Amino acid sequence: MIISFEGIDGSGKSTQAKKLMARLSPTTDEILYVREPGGTDVSERVRSLLLDPALHIFPFAEMLLFSAARSQLVEEKIKPVHSRGGIVICDRFFDSTVAYQGGGRGVAESGWLEAFQRTVTAGVWPDRTYLVDVSVTVATDRLTARLGDNASPDRMEQAGASFFERVRQTYLDLAARDKGRYCVIDGSKSEDEVEAAIWSDLQTLLP
Ligand code: Z5A
């Protein structure tokens, strides 16, 4: 089973992905947590490029780099666990590319990007995707509280509020189109309330 977590930066999705990992681990034979971009030696190096504020990367090249890091992660880490029947928890997966590079940067329309991602992931697809949804204002306030006012943003975080509004709207559009896979969670609630909502939904999927 593959469970992915999506949302804008600061939504609280990593917090929830890790909570779910901790909750499922004691009762699961094989479980893997991965976060994108990264998770393999190659993908971590690509991550350094993608987040480096000193680099100017053109939008289509950015989309290909995120996809390259993902392809390596799927082949090296996700596929083996998935094929043995384990659970994989993805802190971001290909929907991030559709939302950020498609909706945010406008590199290509969602349908083209989704079809391309089928090739990138070799058809490996999540059974459930939790979209932890918050407003851009809530996300920004949380990140400011976490980082402090002096921290410098990485290359992706330098995009302005209107970029993150487009990313959020693209996620909501994707979720509306694919209600069978997506579950939208109100991320503005407390950590415990968000966790409970995810856990409640997951009961319908777990054996
Ligand atoms: N990106 C892309 O453009 N295309 C792609 O294909 C992929 C990624 C895969 C990766 O950054 C960047 O790459 C990201 C998307 C882009 N860019 N942006 N901008 P990253 O890996 O460094 O980080 P991230 O994945 O975007 O987010 P994160 O740092 O892991 O944050 P988060 O998952 O959204 O939130 P969090 O860490 O769980 O929580 C943030 C803070 O809020 C933290 O202090 C928590 O304690 C707090 N929090 C969490 N939940 C709550 C609740 N419920 N209430 C109050 N406070 C909370």
Side-chain angles (χ1 to χ4, degrees):
M1 177 186 289
I2 298 182
I3 303 163
S4 62
F5 283 80
E6 297 284 352
I8 57 174
D9 196 9
S11 60
K13 54 159 192 54
S14 295
T15 301
Q16 295 303 326
K18 287 173 193 158
K19 276 177 179 287
L20 185 61
M21 177 72 186
R23 200 161 182 169
L24 289 175
S25 291
T27 53
T28 307
D29 289 340
E30 191 169 17
I31 184 162
L32 171 72
Y33 167 91
V34 288
R35 70 99 211 244
E36 281 208 41
T40 71
D41 289 348
V42 170
S43 313
E44 289 292 333
R45 289 202 200 178
V46 177
R47 177 185 176 89
S48 303
L49 291 175
L50 280 163
L51 300 187
D52 186 343
L55 297 180
H56 174 71
I57 304 176
F58 285 92
F60 202 83
E62 179 182 282
M63 187 276 290
L64 292 173
L65 284 168
F66 276 114
S67 303
R70 175 169 308 124
S71 173
Q72 182 77 22
L73 179 66
V74 168
E75 294 298 334
E76 200 176 316
K77 295 276 178 73
I78 296 179
K79 258 191 190 174
V81 174
H82 186 47
S83 64
R84 288 193 293 268
I87 296 179
V88 183
I89 296 178
C90 300
D91 186 349
R92 296 196 180 285
F93 202 28
F94 64 86
D95 293 287
S96 287
T97 301
V98 181
Y100 279 78
Q101 281 63 57
R105 302 275 198 229
V107 300
E109 51 104 20
S110 293
W112 186 89
L113 278 169
E114 272 183 294
F116 180 61
Q117 291 303 316
R118 285 262 177 204
T119 306
V120 168
T121 65
V124 172
W125 221 241
D127 298 284
R128 179 66 95 229
T129 297
Y130 291 107
L131 172 56
V132 181
D133 180 55
V134 295
S135 69
V136 173
T137 310
V138 167
T140 308
D141 288 349
R142 285 183 188 169
L143 290 178
T144 306
R146 181 175 71 180
L147 295 173
D149 289 332
N150 295 327
S152 52
D154 66 38
R155 200 184 61 83
M156 292 304 298
E157 288 166 349
Q158 286 177 340
S162 59
F163 172 86
F164 290 103
E165 294 288 2
R166 290 196 298 279
V167 173
R168 182 189 182 203
Q169 190 54 53
T170 306
Y171 271 132
L172 291 170
D173 293 344
L174 289 172
R177 278 209 320 254
D178 191 355
K179 293 197 173 101
R181 171 166 70 89
Y182 261 97
C183 176
V184 182
I185 302 285
D186 181 356
S188 68
K189 299 207 166 137
S190 73
E191 282 184 23
D192 287 351
E193 286 172 306
V194 176
E195 183 183 11
I198 290 168
W199 188 246
S200 161
D201 173 80
L202 199 58
Q203 300 317 301
T204 60
L205 290 182
L206 290 174

